[in-house]
Amino acid sequence: MEKLVIHGGKPLKGEVTISGAKNAVVAIIPAVLLVKGRCVIENVPDISDVESILKMIEFIGAKVSKINKNTVDIDCTELDTYIVDKELAAKMRASYYLMGALIGRFGKAVVPSPGGCNFGVRPIDQHIKGFELLGCKTSICENDDVVTIDASELCGSDVFFDVVSVGATINVMLAATLAPGKTVLENVAKEPHVVDLANFLNSMGAKIKGAGTDVIKIEGVTELHGGTYSIIPDQIEAGTYMSAIAATGGDAVVKNIIPKHLDAITAKFVEMGTKIEEFDDCLRVCVDAPLKKINVKTIPYPGFPTDLQPQIVALLTTVQGKSIVTEGVWDSRFQYIDELVKFGVDIEISGRQAIINGGTPLKSCEVQATDLRAGASMIIAALACNGVTKISNLRYIDRGYENLVEKLKMLGADIERIDE
Ligand code: EPU
């Protein structure tokens, strides 16, 4: 079994370069299915979720070739099927973006239930509601958990989402891009990856306005053309390294970022007493005094992201005093706490809140990643802990962090990946 072995307690110093955003690329690769032509996608992170989504579109008939580690050439001039492979779909959440893309391309889609991290119930009612308002007929086979969509009468429409959902916003945007007429999506997600998808589609000929605000307006076009597009930097990977630098009392520069995307995160780091220096496309995180306890609540963008909640909890275990972290997006995203407490930290869960009595030294231990960001949380705790930690279940971490071991080594961490 592969494990990470981390000898912690060393302040992270130097520079780290952030990769392309996972949650943008897993939407943009399916979006290429809407293009009867070739797209070259740059700044693609080399992570297993990208491998999975590329395999899914290859199964559909896309011709995929890697130009280099971070650039992929995808030709969707001809496709074979609107039916998505069940085993592949189960590997990741974003497989549901194939619904929106196949609706637009084929007027029909058969997509099995998506996989992904387990945060309790992860409904897709808002995706289905959006598709139906656009004129689709959907049926979900209870036994098989397969969504079958007939979009032969697809047309633009108004959709007001009941909840702010990244997935539903992206999926319905994909379906509406080639839908005749005008679509207005209200109460949409404003995350940078939603904007990145709209920018990609617009650069291929779509007419989408308002991405990044509460209302997205889409004028359906008849076709998209090919082109080259570069994925935005990963806001969550950046926040993960910022947390690791702060937790180790380090001083390092996080490069290749869009500082604006990190506003909610840097604000909390400043409140904690971390020194943050912002530049055009990088920022410096420096700890030169003991950090102060803070309270954090995760909410949709531009608020503090839920995908950094486990990492900030790990950081706050190292900070003296009682910090409270409230999860405001998912009903249940504290499954990883059972692992984190193995470091001897004092965390109590009360409903949607984690109450952290931080500041006692972390004890070395063996833990496992219970999901992607939970894995990042374990790594941050291990880096802050004076001792040796072993982390298993690395397949989760591999889903979303490119070159993690190399990047941490560049920051001076003592980390190895071993096969035990
Ligand atoms: N929701 C509904 N109905 C729906 C869809 C969502 O009630 O039809 C609820 C969910 O239960 C949740 C909230 O709305 O309470 C937000 O869910 P959302 O749809 O925004 O999440 P998602 O699209 O499934 C994406 C990211 C997650 C991230 C969330 C929230 C991708 C592939 N995944 O998931 O990222 O936590 O948005 O920002 O983009 C991760 O990267 O580690 C990760 C889990």
Side-chain angles (χ1 to χ4, degrees), residues 47 95 100 116 128 200 219 247 260 322 329 333 373 379 385:
I47 53 177
S95 55
I128 301 296
F200 164 78
E219 196 76 59
K260 181 84 200 133
K322 185 162 102 181
V329 175
R333 200 177 189 169
R373 309 302 173 187
I379 291 168
C385 163

Side-chain angles (χ1 to χ4, degrees), residues 50-61:
V50 166
E51 291 306 316
S52 302
I53 197 80
L54 287 174
K55 279 197 191 122
M56 272 181 253
I57 66 161
E58 274 186 308
F59 180 87
I60 288 166

